[in-house]
């Protein structure tokens, strides 16, 4: 709607808007035109004069030509660039935080190693406890008992082609058997000392 059509429409409705038989207040038209000019030049963004404010992003600069299209000011363009850069940085950070670790593909191997280490520690504790008890045994039997401990300690876990979960169960079974054997040996030594 052009300025004249808008002005005519306002004059027709002035009675309803401002009250019947009432003229517009003095200086109204000048103040209205000044506010329009300020709005079109982007000087009237209120408290929102910083980049990042949504109302500020909508400010445009009027070209001053009739029928011309509004153009975005340099501040709006820099705001758009800033928002796009911020979004890109946020996407990169989110990807680093939430995407799985590429080394997670080796997770089952790590899990197997952790379980093997746990049971190895448990076995070493039982071997040490058994060796301490063997020190109390007479020398004739001591050498045979130490040989048995070395045999139990060095017995390998079978290397078979099974799933990782089944292999974990196999490791647990082998080490549990070794630990129970050492505990039984400890009980026998304690009874005979």
């Amino acid at each position: 709607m052009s300025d004249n059509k808008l002005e005519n429409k306002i004059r027709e409705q002035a009675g309803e808007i401002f009250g019947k038989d009432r003229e517009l207040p003095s200086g109204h038209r000048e103040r209205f035109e000044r506010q329009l000019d300020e709005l079109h030049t982007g000087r009237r963004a209120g408290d929102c004069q910083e980049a990042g404010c949504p109302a500020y992003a909508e400010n445009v600069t009027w070209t001053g030509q009739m029928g011309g299209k509004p153009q975005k000011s340099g501040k709006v363009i820099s705001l758009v660039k800033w928002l796009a850069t911020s979004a890109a940085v946020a996407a990169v950070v989110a990807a680093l935080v939430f995407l799985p670790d590429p080394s997670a593909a080796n997770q089952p191997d790590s899990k197997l190693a952790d379980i093997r280490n746990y049971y190895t520690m448990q076995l070493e504790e039982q071997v040490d406890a058994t060796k301490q008890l063997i020190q109390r045994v007479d020398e004739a039997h001591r050498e045979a008992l130490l040989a048995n401990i070395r045999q139990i300690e060095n017995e390998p876990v079978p290397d078979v082609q099974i799933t990782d979960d089944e292999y974990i169960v196999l490791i647990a079974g082998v080490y549990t058997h070794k630990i129970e054997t050492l505990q039984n040996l400890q009980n026998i030594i304690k009874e005979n000392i």
Side-chain angles (χ1 to χ4, degrees):
M1 196 184 277
S2 71
D3 288 336
N4 289 336
K5 287 182 183 179
L6 178 64
E7 187 175 333
N8 291 337
K9 188 76 165 174
I10 290 174
R11 286 184 191 268
E12 289 174 12
Q13 304 295 326
E16 294 175 20
I17 296 172
F18 300 109
K20 301 231 184 254
D21 300 329
R22 211 166 149 212
E23 203 50 44
L24 293 173
S26 64
H28 171 76
R29 184 173 180 88
E30 291 80 23
R31 285 192 306 273
F32 182 72
E33 286 177 357
R34 187 176 55 236
Q35 287 175 355
L36 275 178
D37 287 341
E38 288 174 359
L39 181 65
H40 287 296
T41 59
R43 290 184 300 197
R44 190 126 195 259
D47 294 335
C48 209
Q49 292 292 329
E50 304 174 60
C53 179
Y56 185 69
E58 295 175 4
N59 291 338
V60 293
T61 304
W62 184 255
T63 60
Q65 301 171 352
M66 291 299 285
K69 293 186 177 184
Q71 297 176 343
K72 291 185 178 179
S73 70
K75 291 179 181 178
V76 174
I77 291 172
S78 66
L79 174 65
V80 171
K81 287 180 182 178
W82 180 82
L83 287 173
T85 304
S86 298
V89 169
V92 169
V93 169
L96 291 174
V97 170
F98 295 112
L99 286 180
D101 186 15
S103 64
N106 299 333
Q107 190 75 12
D109 293 336
S110 173
K111 189 176 181 181
L112 288 173
D114 290 343
I115 290 173
R116 189 181 297 263
N117 290 338
Y118 170 76
Y119 279 107
T120 301
M121 283 185 358
Q122 296 293 321
L123 181 65
E124 287 175 2
E125 287 177 7
Q126 293 302 318
V127 166
D128 290 341
T130 308
K131 284 182 179 179
Q132 287 178 359
L133 285 173
I134 290 177
Q135 297 303 322
R136 297 183 193 169
V137 175
D138 63 348
E139 228 173 283
H141 298 316
R142 188 178 304 159
E143 200 55 44
L145 290 172
L146 288 173
N148 287 338
I149 290 175
R150 281 191 295 272
Q151 182 181 359
I152 292 170
E153 215 175 355
N154 295 327
E155 180 184 345
V157 176
D159 190 22
V160 292
Q161 297 294 325
I162 54 178
T163 65
D164 289 338
D165 291 337
E166 291 171 340
Y167 195 66
I168 289 171
V169 171
L170 178 66
I171 290 172
V174 168
Y175 278 96
T176 302
H177 178 70
K178 289 179 179 186
I179 291 169
E180 287 175 354
T181 303
L182 288 172
Q183 288 173 342
N184 289 337
L185 186 58
Q186 290 171 14
N187 290 336
I188 291 170
I189 293 171
K190 287 177 186 176
E191 290 174 2
N192 292 317
I193 298 185

